[in-house]
Amino acid sequence: MWWIREILQKNKSHRPQLINISTSRNIEWSGIFVTNSPSFNIWCGDVENVYMHDFEIYTDLWGILDIFKLFGSRLDTEMVQFAGIDIELPTFPLNTDAIDFTGRNATFRNIKITNFDDVVVPKPARKGNKYGNCTSDVLVEDCEVYFSTGMAIGSVPPNPNHNCINGVTYRNIEFHYPFKAIYIKTNPIHIKNKGNESGEIANIKYENIKINYPIWWGVYIGPQQ
C-alpha cells in the first residue's frame, strides 16, 4: 500500500527504508528473510567492518501487480519470454535496492535477491565521513539474483569533497532475467562548479558472472538512467 499512496500523492512521508544502519561498525547480519520493503531494503551509511551473509531479500512483484490492477492504477510493464512463455513483468517497483552501502571493509556473501532495482550497491563516500573518505574494500560473492537492475556501482556525481569508490569485487554471481546485470553509474549531469568538484570510480572487478536472459543490457557503463 505504500506504493499506491505514493503514486496517489497521499503519503506525505514518502516510502521509508525497511532497515537503516548508520555511522556504525562491526556489523554481522545473517538468517533473516527481508521482504516487501517500501523503499530500499537495507541501507548501510558510513559503516565499517560489515559481514552480511546467508539470507534472502524478496520483493513480491506479482502481488504489487495485483494491487495496482485492483486500484486501476497504471503500471509500466514489459513482455519477456520465460521458459518459452510470454510473461508480462512490471518495470517497477523502483527504489527497492537490496543493499546500499557506504563505508569500508564489507563482505556480502551467499544472498538470494529478488527485486526490480539495484542489488548490492557501493555508494560513494567523501571527506568528512566518520568511517573513511572513500567506499573501499568491498566483496560481494556467491549470490543469486532474480530480475533487478544489476550489481551496480554508484552513481558517483562530482562533489566538492570528492566522491569516491575504490576497490570493489563481485564474483560468483548468477543473474536470472535482469534488466541490467553489470551496471557502473557515472553521473556528470550534477556538475555545478566546474573545476571545484570531483568523483572517482576505481579498481572495480567482476569475476565469474553468469547472466541468463538479460531483458535490456547485460553490461551498462555510463550515466545513471
Side-chain angles (χ1 to χ4, degrees):
M1 296 306 296
W2 285 100
W3 287 98
I4 294 294
R5 293 183 65 82
E6 179 85 355
I7 286 186
L8 296 179
Q9 298 182 343
K10 292 184 178 180
N11 179 19
K12 296 181 180 180
S13 298
H14 302 292
R15 292 173 287 114
Q17 301 155 2
L18 190 61
I19 298 152
N20 186 305
I21 304 170
S22 299
T23 319
S24 304
R25 63 194 308 268
N26 301 331
I27 301 158
E28 182 172 2
W29 176 286
S30 179
I32 298 175
F33 181 61
V34 180
T35 185
N36 288 339
S37 173
S39 183
F40 300 160
N41 283 270
I42 300 174
W43 168 258
C44 299
D46 193 16
V47 296
E48 180 182 52
N49 303 335
V50 176
Y51 184 31
M52 293 189 169
H53 61 99
D54 298 287
F55 67 100
E56 181 175 358
I57 295 173
Y58 180 77
T59 301
D60 184 2
L61 307 174
W62 315 113
I64 290 170
L65 265 177
D66 289 340
I67 289 173
F68 269 79
K69 290 177 181 177
L70 178 65
F71 282 82
S73 300
R74 182 182 178 276
L75 184 63
D76 291 332
T77 61
E78 181 141 343
M79 295 300 297
V80 301
Q81 195 170 79
F82 185 85
I85 301 172
D86 288 335
I87 294 178
E88 184 182 26
L89 290 178
T91 55
F92 184 88
L94 298 175
N95 302 119
T96 52
D97 292 9
I99 303 171
D100 286 5
F101 170 86
T102 68
R104 62 189 179 197
N105 190 24
T107 296
F108 304 94
R109 177 178 292 130
N110 195 27
I111 307 169
K112 182 178 179 181
I113 296 167
T114 301
N115 74 338
F116 257 45
D117 213 305
D118 298 340
V119 189
V120 181
V121 197
K123 299 285 188 180
R126 61 190 66 88
K127 295 176 184 176
N129 283 15
K130 182 174 182 178
Y131 293 115
N133 299 330
C134 184
T135 294
S136 57
D137 299 320
V138 180
L139 171 63
V140 183
E141 65 179 357
D142 303 327
C143 295
E144 187 173 16
V145 180
Y146 291 83
F147 310 117
S148 87
T149 58
M151 290 290 185
I153 299 291
S155 65
V156 184
N159 185 278
N161 289 323
H162 187 67
N163 273 335
C164 179
I165 300 174
N166 189 330
V168 179
T169 297
Y170 294 101
R171 68 186 180 204
N172 304 333
I173 311 293
E174 184 166 3
F175 291 92
H176 304 273
Y177 299 94
F179 283 83
K180 304 181 187 79
I182 294 172
Y183 186 16
I184 298 178
K185 299 184 275 187
T186 59
N187 210 347
I189 60 173
H190 287 283
I191 295 177
K192 296 178 182 178
N193 302 306
K194 293 182 179 180
N196 298 324
E197 301 186 349
S198 59
E200 174 184 348
I201 302 173
N203 299 313
I204 311 300
K205 177 187 280 189
Y206 290 87
E207 184 178 53
N208 192 26
I209 307 297
K210 186 174 183 180
I211 305 171
N212 298 298
Y213 306 106
I215 296 170
W216 291 343
W217 300 279
V219 179
Y220 182 95
I221 300 173
Q224 178 179 358
Q225 293 184 318

